[in-house]
Amino acid sequence: NGNVKKIRKQFHRNRYKIAADESLQFVAEHPDLKILSYYADELLIELLPNFSAREFIQWINEKVQLTKFELYLPSLNEIFIQTVQPENE
């Protein structure tokens, strides 16, 4: 449904799934992002407000070639939890 997708986009919080054929361990060293989780061969990252997706792509393309860069849209369950829980819990 279009409305569900629109709601999910509103809650994306600058989160992206990335993958590369090479190791991405060095990504953790960047001060303007957080690694939220590791999947089999990809990372879920959150860019801090002062670091745009465009800046991230420029930075990482100097080091590796990404095979995946996509906006992470949270599930409705994640949105519900985020909405009812205070930010600092």
Side-chain angles (χ1 to χ4, degrees):
N1 178 321
N3 289 336
V4 170
K5 190 171 185 176
K6 187 175 178 182
I7 290 169
R8 290 177 69 204
K9 279 187 174 184
Q10 290 174 346
F11 283 85
H12 76 81
R13 301 177 89 187
N14 285 333
R15 292 179 178 180
Y16 299 90
K17 283 186 179 180
I18 64 169
D21 289 334
E22 303 169 52
S23 172
L24 291 171
Q25 287 183 332
F26 69 91
V27 172
E29 298 168 8
H30 199 290
D32 294 324
L33 63 83
K34 292 190 282 187
I35 294 179
L36 301 176
S37 60
Y38 293 91
Y39 294 103
D41 61 344
E42 61 187 38
L43 300 177
L44 175 59
I45 62 169
E46 182 175 335
L47 303 180
L48 300 181
N50 61 328
F51 194 43
S52 71
R54 180 174 292 188
E55 291 170 317
F56 172 76
I57 291 170
Q58 272 184 320
W59 173 77
I60 200 161
N61 277 339
E62 294 174 0
K63 299 169 182 351
V64 297
Q65 183 169 353
L66 291 178
T67 57
K68 181 181 203 173
F69 180 81
E70 75 179 28
L71 184 63
Y72 173 77
L73 298 178
S75 68
L76 291 178
N77 187 48
E78 290 171 311
I79 292 170
F80 175 77
I81 291 169
Q82 177 183 333
T83 303
V84 297
Q85 269 186 343
E87 188 73 25
N88 59 358
E89 281 189 16

